[in-house]
Amino acid sequence: MKKKYRSMEVAPGFSRRDFVKSIGAASAAAAGGLVLAGPGFGQTAPPQAPVETNIADFLKVPKTARSLPGPFPGKVVKVTDKRSLVAEKFDGKAIGEMVEKGITTLTGKNMKESFKLLIDPKDVVGIKVNPVGPPLIHTHPEVVDAVIKWLVDNGLPKGQIVIWDRFDYMLKDAGYTPDRFPGIALEGLQTMDEEGNKWRGPDGNHVSINNFDKDVYYFAKGIVGKGVKGYKDDEFYLNQHVFNGEYSYFGKLLTKKLTRIINVAAYKNTGASISMATKNMGYASLCNVGRLHAPLAFKASTEVLAAPVLRDKLALNITDGLRGQYDGGPDKNAQFVYENHSLYFATDPFALDMLCHQEINAKRKEMGATVNESPRLTEYLRYAEQLGLGVVAADKMQIVRV
């Protein structure tokens, strides 16, 4: 029997004590290799029977003034500056100027007024990075520096900022350390044991099991994390996914601490599609997601972002396209990485992904890579528009290039 979904109504204003890290020590990749995307993710497999999910539970919860697609549905700002990356070195000053130009062009207001529009000084702001693929194709710390400066300059204490991702050890590998970001909390939703045999605690459960909120979840009937193709055994699956049933639970960081989220994704492909703004949130905010890749693929990202815990907290999306990768993703693959010198800004993550999907396809054509232009690869974006989460129709989107 399906459980009752709990709506999220978390008001701004948490004490500093709420920022105590909830996860243990970092670890490295699991034995046998890390599976970040299921077999065929981003490809156009034959249509499968619809999967029953709890999307209806999400849609029953009334939207708020902060809900997606935010104040600028369908609008995407692309800022390009050749100074941002020269001779393999990132220029923090130029990147800071790009962030300011992107935010102010998106909102039509100065940085102070933009802050007031999107953030409350009492908010606890989570900056969701993508740490997969360093040192080539991840969210670069210089971009996060500029976002933090914007927040702090406008009155948000450092103690109310959390840089986060699903895996704790990946943050460290990508340069997100206490020394690099003093005063900023760093938190992974879960840990994973590099030896593959120490992830169970004394009680026999995964050591990260209490980091997830069993009252706030994404449900997919009949889709279980057991015997999932691409995972060598169920133990390997549990090590990486904590749970293996029909439920994917959201991290308590999102359900109980954060009141606002800034999503800073990387600019790269997965299969014939992309792994950018929506997937950065849709597959990293909860556990037990490996089971979703084959039967639901990108549709899961759309429905996960429809959950009030994300829908009502996601304030701003920035895609770090200083470098791009058009093939071989979502992990780094040097032969397909190129300098793109661009950052992308939107409150609407679906419009943002539509533009970037088109750009990646154009780059694949330019480089002679196989291009799959099937509309099925962008169905999830049109589905989001149907749900009122974004605007992706070409005649309704507004693309601003500066």
Side-chain angles (χ1 to χ4, degrees), residues 29-108:
L34 178 63
V35 181
L36 293 172
F41 197 88
Q43 307 294 345
T44 50
Q48 300 187 27
V51 176
E52 179 184 332
T53 69
N54 63 328
I55 180 66
D57 291 338
F58 301 159
L59 300 179
K60 288 176 185 174
V61 182
K63 283 189 171 184
T64 74
R66 289 181 153 198
S67 297
L68 288 177
F72 306 103
K75 183 176 182 180
V76 183
V77 175
K78 177 181 179 181
V79 181
T80 302
D81 190 331
K82 295 285 186 183
R83 299 174 302 156
S84 59
L85 175 59
V86 178
E88 303 299 319
K89 292 186 177 179
F90 293 92
D91 186 323
K93 182 174 183 297
I95 292 169
E97 292 172 5
M98 292 171 73
V99 169
E100 179 169 352
K101 189 176 294 184
I103 291 174
T104 57
T105 303
L106 176 66
T107 64

Side-chain angles (χ1 to χ4, degrees), residues 69-259:
F72 306 103
K75 183 176 182 180
V76 183
V77 175
K78 177 181 179 181
V79 181
T80 302
D81 190 331
K82 295 285 186 183
R83 299 174 302 156
S84 59
L85 175 59
V86 178
E88 303 299 319
K89 292 186 177 179
F90 293 92
D91 186 323
K93 182 174 183 297
I95 292 169
E97 292 172 5
M98 292 171 73
V99 169
E100 179 169 352
K101 189 176 294 184
I103 291 174
T104 57
T105 303
L106 176 66
T107 64
K109 303 176 182 293
N110 62 32
M111 290 292 265
K112 182 176 182 179
E113 292 300 317
S114 297
F115 176 87
K116 289 182 178 178
L117 177 68
L118 300 173
I119 308 291
D120 186 292
K122 293 181 180 179
D123 275 321
V124 179
V125 177
I127 301 175
K128 170 66 177 75
V129 299
N130 185 331
V132 179
L136 290 177
I137 194 71
H138 60 299
T139 301
H140 296 94
E142 292 84 355
V143 179
V144 176
D145 285 337
V147 172
I148 291 173
K149 183 177 187 304
W150 171 53
L151 297 174
V152 173
D153 284 353
N154 289 285
L156 191 76
K158 279 189 172 183
Q160 290 174 214
I161 301 172
V162 183
I163 297 172
W164 68 279
D165 182 58
R166 183 173 152 209
F167 294 106
D168 51 8
Y169 74 94
M170 286 190 179
L171 289 171
K172 181 180 178 181
D173 291 350
Y176 295 96
T177 64
D179 288 342
R180 179 64 177 76
F181 290 93
I184 305 295
L186 301 159
E187 190 161 331
L189 299 187
Q190 68 167 96
T191 191
M192 195 168 66
D193 178 30
E194 61 181 328
E195 301 297 330
N197 57 11
K198 298 178 182 176
W199 52 272
R200 288 189 188 274
D203 60 358
N205 293 317
H206 195 294
V207 295
S208 300
I209 196 169
N210 291 323
N211 296 342
F212 295 92
D213 190 335
K214 289 190 174 181
D215 290 330
V216 187
Y217 57 82
Y218 180 63
F219 170 79
K221 186 175 182 180
I223 309 301
V224 298
K226 181 177 176 61
V228 175
K229 187 178 180 182
Y231 294 83
K232 63 181 184 179
D233 54 41
D234 294 336
E235 284 291 286
F236 179 68
Y237 186 91
L238 279 173
N239 185 5
Q240 186 175 127
H241 292 283
V242 186
F243 299 89
N244 65 357
E246 293 178 312
Y247 295 84
S248 292
Y249 305 111
F250 285 89
K252 288 181 179 176
L253 173 69
L254 286 80
T255 66
K256 297 184 181 298
K257 294 182 181 178
L258 302 181
T259 58

